[in-house]
Amino acid sequence: MATLHRPDPSLDIWKARSHPLDPIFLPRSVAVVGATEREGSVGRTVLWNLISHPFGGTVYPVNPKRHQVLGIRAYERLSALPEPVDLAIIAIPAAGVPAVIQECVEAGVKGAIVLSAGFKEIGPEGLELEKAIQEAARGKLRLIGPNCLGIQNPHTGLNATFAAQMARPGNVGFISQSGALCTSILDWSLRENVGFSAFISLGSMLDVGWGDLIDYLGEDPHTHSIVLYMESIGDARSFVSAAREVALSKPIIVIKAGRTQAAAQAAASHTGSLTGSDAVLDAAFRRCGVLRVDHIEDLFDMAEVLAKQPRPQGPHLSILTNAGGPGVLATDALIRAGGSLAQLSPQTLEQLNSILPPHWSHGNPIDILGDAGPERFAQALEIVLRDPASQGCLVILTPQAMTDPTATAAKVVETWRRSGSRQPILASWMGGDLVDAGEQILNQAGIPTYRYPDQAARVFSYLWRFSDNLKALYETPTLLPATAVEGERVQQILGQARQQGRRLLTEVESKEILAAYGIPVVPTRVVKSPEAAVEAAAQMGYPVVLKLYSHTLTHKSDVGGVQLNLPDAEAVRRAFAQILRNVSEKAGPEHFQGVTVQPMIRTDGYELILGSSEDPQFGPVLLFGSGGQLVEVFQDRAIGLPPLNTTLARRLMENTLIYKALKGVRGRRAVNLEALEQLLVRFSQLVAEQRQIQEIDINPLLASGEQLLALDARVILRSEQEPPVPLAIRPYPSQYSWPFREGITIRPIRPEDELLVIQFHRHVSDYSIYLRYFHPIKYSARIAHERLVRICFNDYDREIALVAEKQEPEATILGISRLSKKHGLPEEAEFALLVADPYQRQGIGTELLTRLIQVARCEGIRRLTGEVLSENEGMRRLCRRLGFQLLPSPEDPGLLRATLDLAADAALPTPCPA
């Protein structure tokens, strides 16, 4: 079995690995283009910062008008330097930057930081300059900026900015689009003794964007959390993909400017980029496990608490205080932020009664009164930490005459450590100099402190929200019952509309598309005359509904095009005439192509809306919520990104107010929520697959205890001249599925396979595990959910695992192969392979690796590598048979490096399935 190579995590990966961004963050030599001695200039400041903060490399000023700058020999141009440099820092007027980038490429420079402003933020002229830079740099060097402050790497001493100060070393990676905010945060951090692993001003993101930097910091051992100040998203798919991977191991906290329309316009004028829909951004952040906060101070509060405290298992907070007012303030902030007070058990209340004065609050918040000393605090805290209903604890101290803040802090730390509690604990020591010593004790022990209790309560709610969302994203979903999609029928409908020059589908066509994906729709017949309407109604049975049938009008109610609850033939005739008259008066007779007849459905259930439209940055987005004619009035909706699984569908539903009613209220039967989950998943599949559709909605979708039924539907196609915006999350690559022999199928892995992978590991021996991973792994560790998340929940943009599965006598995974693209090197990937012991030496491993190579070619991979133990004779034979070159690994004499050059036969046709 081959394995992915992972360096020893105890090593400094920044030094051990090679990454396309290393020349920017770890340069051995730097050229400053535009270096000058003019006081107050960017060129002078950045040169001074580089030479006054040694980073272990050489600095070369480049200025054609000077022989030396700040006492250092200057060079006329990059080509005149005595050696190729890793990094060029460019601080010249914007008009000259494209020529310098071209010179960088010719001189072999691999990284550049463009500090200059005057690009797309000033209009078309600046945009043309950016295009020229991109054309020169594409595929040859990586570039940060333009219009940025630069970057600092505090752990090496690199200060490639024109900021006045250097950040302290620490474990927070900070990335900001605003250079001015960077300098403010830097000044604040020095005062507050906050350190950084990297300090990055991103600028306009002409090349390097959020995704690149999140990936880079995700691999950096110095970075424990990543903090972002964002004005625009840039490459949405790259951001979502990187954040989904990194957020599993390192918290990512973001503050996004532009929530309001005025702020969005200001951000757009600042960066020259669209900011996008704020609600869609919220949905994207939730989907990839990123925590969004509203205040700058919350960015670093959350970075601290996530680094110091465990994740809460629920939203229920216990508040322990020596004053009632601060407890009330904390409660208000907690509830507003989505948390709740823990309901203390009778045993806990009884124990508190035994140690507290008679006039304590007898509930949560637990007011232990103003004369509480260190012992009372400690005894009450010990009792609260034992209560299983408490999922977090906030300790509040106000410095009253009889209070000892320092001794109380020491007692709190001692009690917390002795308890072994796994719930997070926060503290608010209110006051000034009197509480400073106590705060220091708490902070050194790993208990975050806050001067105000409402801030602490808000931090707990953020912490809970982050933990709950991340957990929900990776709950194992259930597999939907197999339902064949009538794809050919869908294409016929879409093709017919295109031929007729229509972008708006009729209601009947829209419902047929839904039905093709297994979504139940109300029976509908199109008629052109009153007599035909009466005949159709008689066949369906009264009462019936008549609706306008039009190729051009989409909102039928707005033109009087809906007549409900028609009890007999005469009512049908009158309704037909009324609709014709209404449409002719309000829109014109040319918009009337007939009516549809539908049975009148009892609407004692709930009217929902389920729809999708296209966001200019994230592509198709889903909407679910309360429907009907008042959908815009109630505004009860949740937004998500396709594709969905059953877990994500349930979470989308839970984010609406109507969800509580769907579970059953006031004697009404609950809706079949599992069936509704499945309907949402099928709808998201439709949206992801049918990219000719620009907008689609079902309104209303009737949901009752008896049925789910689409009563009305609307579909709008995109213009043929308008290309679709890519999905933010790549859907399941079903095209990579092939039949093998004896009922075995090769297909991509999916999140629903977790139970099958657990069964698979029951048949994998310890020796096979050793050959695959080069060290033993206990069975309990192999099947832990946290580990299987990384195996089954593939981001198909980054990795694709194939499984060999047989269905008889029951679904069984026989082997797994995996293709993982290298970060920053999109044309290179690593492979791995593991086959269960009973199925080895039966050709399954050969088929899995052969198909994996085919996938690699289709994904544009030009070089495939893997590590094989020298003693693994079977894997060595397989690799040689499939064309891999095997060479000793320079890092470990017991390993062989298997390499397959796919670029060598790139001219050969690759059968890539559609």
Side-chain angles (χ1 to χ4, degrees):
M1 296 87 188
T3 187
L4 301 182
H5 175 62
R6 290 286 179 264
D8 184 339
S10 65
L11 300 177
D12 186 336
I13 300 174
W14 280 41
K15 295 177 182 176
R17 69 195 169 109
S18 176
H19 190 285
L21 296 186
D22 281 346
I24 296 176
F25 289 93
L26 300 169
R28 292 163 296 185
S29 52
V30 180
V32 181
V33 182
T36 176
E37 291 195 355
R38 182 164 51 87
E39 287 288 343
S41 68
V42 172
R44 185 186 197 280
T45 304
V46 73
L47 179 63
W48 176 254
N49 283 344
L50 285 165
I51 61 178
S52 60
H53 298 91
F55 62 93
T58 309
V59 181
Y60 297 103
V62 176
N63 187 328
K65 298 179 180 178
R66 301 188 64 91
H67 295 293
Q68 64 176 29
V69 180
L70 298 181
I72 307 171
R73 179 185 171 183
Y75 295 83
E76 186 176 356
R77 60 179 59 87
L78 287 167
S79 58
L81 296 177
E83 63 171 338
V85 296
D86 291 328
L87 173 63
I89 302 173
I90 301 170
I92 62 173
V97 173
V100 172
I101 293 296
Q102 183 61 47
E103 191 180 351
C104 286
V105 171
E106 294 169 357
V109 179
K110 296 300 182 185
I113 300 174
V114 180
L115 307 178
S116 318
F119 292 91
K120 65 184 174 186
E121 69 272 12
I122 69 168
E125 182 183 347
L127 193 58
E128 287 302 314
L129 290 174
E130 289 196 357
K131 290 179 181 177
I133 293 172
Q134 285 178 313
E135 188 63 32
R138 185 173 290 116
K140 302 181 182 73
L141 64 76
R142 301 307 307 268
L143 180 150
I144 287 180
N147 193 14
C148 70
L149 181 74
I151 69 107
Q152 294 183 1
N153 184 347
H155 287 280
T156 66
L158 176 70
N159 185 358
T161 72
F162 55 93
Q165 298 162 303
M166 178 70 180
R168 286 192 174 93
N171 54 31
V172 176
F174 178 68
I175 313 171
S176 170
Q177 269 182 294
S178 167
L181 186 72
C182 277
T183 56
S184 301
I185 293 293
L186 185 55
D187 185 56
W188 168 86
S189 71
L190 294 170
R191 187 177 68 250
E192 297 294 323
N193 199 29
V194 174
F196 297 94
S197 57
F199 199 84
I200 305 165
S201 169
L202 196 52
S204 299
M205 300 189 295
L206 187 58
D207 174 34
V208 173
W210 297 110
D212 300 299
L213 293 172
I214 289 171
D215 273 332
Y216 196 73
L217 296 179
E219 295 181 357
D220 168 33
H222 299 302
T223 301
H224 298 171
S225 57
I226 300 172
V227 167
L228 314 176
Y229 170 79
M230 179 183 290
E231 291 180 353
S232 62
I233 193 75
D235 185 340
R237 190 160 179 164
S238 172
F239 169 81
V240 170
S241 182
R244 286 177 71 198
E245 177 171 318
V246 173
L248 275 170
S249 54
K250 298 182 180 183
I252 302 174
I253 307 109
V254 61
I255 184 167
K256 167 66 175 66
R259 274 195 184 271
T260 64
Q261 185 174 357
Q265 290 171 350
S269 64
H270 181 201
T271 63
S273 301
L274 292 173
T275 60
S277 161
D278 196 68
V280 175
L281 272 170
D282 264 342
F285 291 150
R286 285 194 304 271
R287 182 65 182 269
C288 53
V290 169
L291 175 64
R292 182 177 189 175
V293 298
D294 296 322
H295 307 283
I296 289 177
E297 63 267 24
D298 291 336
L299 281 174
F300 296 97
D301 284 343
M302 291 311 303
E304 178 189 29
V305 74
L306 285 164
K308 291 181 176 180
Q309 288 290 315
R311 312 288 194 265
Q313 298 303 304
H316 308 309
L317 179 69
S318 299
I319 300 173
L320 182 64
T321 176
N322 68 341
V328 174
L329 287 173
T331 301
D332 280 344
L334 175 72
I335 303 303
R336 280 197 304 269
S340 62
L341 289 172
Q343 296 296 315
L344 302 178
S345 69
Q347 294 89 340
T348 296
L349 294 172
E350 185 179 336
Q351 292 172 15
L352 289 171
N353 276 330
S354 68
I355 63 149
L356 295 178
H359 300 299
W360 78 280
S361 60
H362 297 278
N364 187 16
I366 305 157
D367 182 359
I368 61 175
L369 305 181
D371 62 347
E375 281 299 331
R376 191 186 298 172
F377 265 98
Q379 289 176 321
L381 178 62
E382 184 176 6
I383 293 169
V384 170
L385 291 177
R386 287 200 300 260
D387 192 323
S390 178
Q391 295 164 326
C393 186
L394 167 60
V395 183
I396 303 171
L397 178 141
T398 60
Q400 302 179 37
M402 62 289 293
T403 307
D404 186 339
T406 305
T408 301
K411 275 292 185 182
V412 165
V413 170
E414 178 188 334
T415 304
W416 173 56
R417 286 175 171 168
R418 189 175 62 245
S419 73
S421 172
R422 293 300 301 160
Q423 59 178 288
I425 182 170
L426 312 176
S428 176
W429 257 225
M430 300 177 68
D433 295 343
L434 284 175
V435 301
D436 283 348
E439 275 193 328
Q440 187 174 0
I441 290 171
L442 292 164
N443 284 320
Q444 288 177 345
I447 299 177
T449 63
Y450 308 90
R451 280 294 163 101
Y452 303 107
D454 53 339
Q455 183 184 6
R458 190 170 68 241
V459 165
F460 173 79
S461 291
Y462 278 137
L463 187 62
W464 149 245
R465 203 169 74 201
F466 171 80
S467 175
D468 180 58
N469 183 56
L470 205 58
K471 179 182 176 182
L473 284 174
Y474 298 104
E475 286 178 8
T476 306
T478 55
L479 187 62
L480 262 62
T483 303
V485 174
E486 298 177 32
E488 290 186 8
R489 179 58 184 145
V490 173
Q491 295 310 310
Q492 287 174 0
I493 295 169
L494 300 180
Q496 181 178 343
R498 290 289 192 201
Q499 288 175 359
Q500 296 174 359
R502 291 188 290 119
R503 292 181 58 201
L504 175 66
L505 299 192
T506 67
E507 179 186 350
V508 175
E509 291 170 330
S510 302
K511 286 179 177 176
E512 282 195 69
I513 289 176
L514 295 176
Y517 276 84
I519 297 172
V521 298
V522 64
T524 304
R525 284 182 56 180
V526 179
V527 296
K528 303 296 180 69
S529 67
E531 291 73 21
V534 170
E535 181 182 349
Q539 292 174 354
M540 287 184 180
Y542 291 102
V544 296
V545 175
L546 261 60
K547 296 182 182 179
L548 169 66
Y549 179 73
S550 174
H551 291 167
T552 53
L553 297 179
T554 177
H555 295 295
K556 295 177 282 291
S557 297
D558 293 350
V559 294
V562 179
Q563 296 289 315
L564 303 174
N565 206 23
L566 306 175
D568 52 38
E570 185 57 33
V572 169
R573 291 188 183 94
R574 288 197 304 270
F576 189 100
Q578 185 66 50
I579 291 175
L580 175 57
R581 185 163 50 252
N582 291 344
V583 174
S584 299
E585 292 174 355
K586 296 182 179 181
E590 69 275 12
H591 297 286
F592 181 89
Q593 278 82 48
V595 301
T596 62
V597 183
Q598 305 171 25
M600 181 70 194
I601 305 297
R602 290 175 54 202
T603 55
D604 56 350
Y606 301 98
E607 290 189 335
L608 307 175
I609 184 171
L610 177 59
S612 173
S613 60
E614 190 168 270
D615 182 83
Q617 293 174 313
F618 289 92
V621 296
L622 304 173
L623 179 143
F624 172 85
S626 301
Q629 291 184 338
L630 299 179
V631 60
E632 287 88 1
V633 175
F634 290 131
Q635 292 284 307
D636 175 27
R637 65 186 185 184
I639 290 176
L641 300 180
L644 299 178
N645 56 38
T646 55
T647 299
L648 295 172
R650 178 65 67 101
R651 282 292 169 146
L652 188 65
M653 292 153 51
E654 289 173 352
N655 285 330
T656 62
L657 297 174
I658 193 71
Y659 177 71
K660 295 179 181 178
L662 298 179
K663 293 191 293 183
V665 292
R666 296 190 175 180
R668 299 179 72 170
R669 283 183 58 189
V671 170
N672 185 338
L673 294 177
E674 288 186 9
L676 186 54
E677 285 174 9
Q678 294 174 11
L679 190 150
L680 264 63
V681 173
R682 292 194 178 99
F683 184 81
S684 79
Q685 180 188 355
L686 188 166
V687 169
E689 292 179 354
Q690 303 302 331
R691 297 310 317 279
Q692 291 189 62
I693 295 176
Q694 187 171 46
E695 292 182 35
I696 177 172
D697 64 53
I698 306 171
N699 185 25
L701 170 66
L702 179 65
S704 68
E706 294 78 30
Q707 63 181 339
L708 300 170
L709 197 61
L711 300 186
D712 203 352
R714 180 179 69 107
V715 172
I716 298 177
L717 305 184
R718 72 177 65 257
S719 167
E720 292 188 82
Q721 291 74 42
E722 182 182 0
V725 180
L727 280 87
I729 298 172
R730 183 176 177 180
Y732 183 74
S734 56
Q735 70 270 27
Y736 296 139
S737 298
W738 298 273
F740 189 39
R741 55 175 170 75
E742 300 170 1
I744 298 173
T745 299
I746 308 296
R747 63 163 177 83
I749 203 167
R750 56 196 174 207
E752 293 86 350
D753 288 326
E754 183 171 335
L755 292 177
L756 292 181
V757 175
I758 291 174
Q759 296 291 336
F760 165 77
H761 273 282
R762 290 183 179 175
H763 303 288
V764 179
S765 67
D766 290 342
Y767 185 62
S768 291
I769 290 295
Y770 164 70
L771 293 178
R772 163 65 175 85
Y773 295 102
F774 310 160
H775 60 82
I777 304 176
K778 290 182 178 180
Y779 174 72
S780 59
R782 283 190 266 147
I783 64 169
H785 174 68
E786 293 74 18
R787 181 176 182 274
L788 295 182
V789 159
R790 294 188 174 274
I791 292 173
C792 300
F793 285 76
N794 281 188
D795 178 343
Y796 301 113
D797 267 338
R798 291 172 168 254
E799 61 179 351
I800 297 176
L802 299 178
V803 299
E805 179 191 35
K806 68 172 184 176
Q807 290 293 334
E808 301 295 340
E810 62 181 359
T812 304
I813 289 179
L814 315 178
I816 305 174
S817 61
R818 182 175 301 273
L819 177 81
S820 297
K821 299 176 185 178
K822 294 185 179 180
H823 294 165
L825 299 168
E827 294 184 346
E828 295 189 22
E830 297 176 311
F831 76 94
L833 176 66
L834 180 62
V835 178
D837 286 57
Y839 305 104
Q840 294 176 6
R841 292 176 291 278
Q842 297 178 26
I844 292 171
T846 301
E847 182 68 10
L848 278 169
L849 190 51
T850 300
R851 292 300 185 183
L852 200 71
I853 293 169
Q854 183 178 351
V855 170
R857 287 195 174 101
C858 295
E859 293 290 309
I861 301 302
R862 299 173 67 84
R863 188 166 179 264
L864 191 59
T865 62
E867 301 285 348
V868 181
L869 276 174
S870 299
E871 65 192 81
N872 192 345
E873 185 59 37
M875 194 65 203
R876 289 165 57 185
R877 284 197 305 269
L878 174 57
C879 287
R880 288 195 182 97
R881 191 163 65 247
L882 295 181
F884 286 85
Q885 183 182 22
L886 293 173
L887 294 173
S889 168
E891 298 166 0
D892 189 333
L895 296 179
L896 297 172
R897 189 163 188 80
T899 303
L900 182 62
D901 184 5
L902 299 176
D905 57 0
L908 299 176
T910 300
C912 295

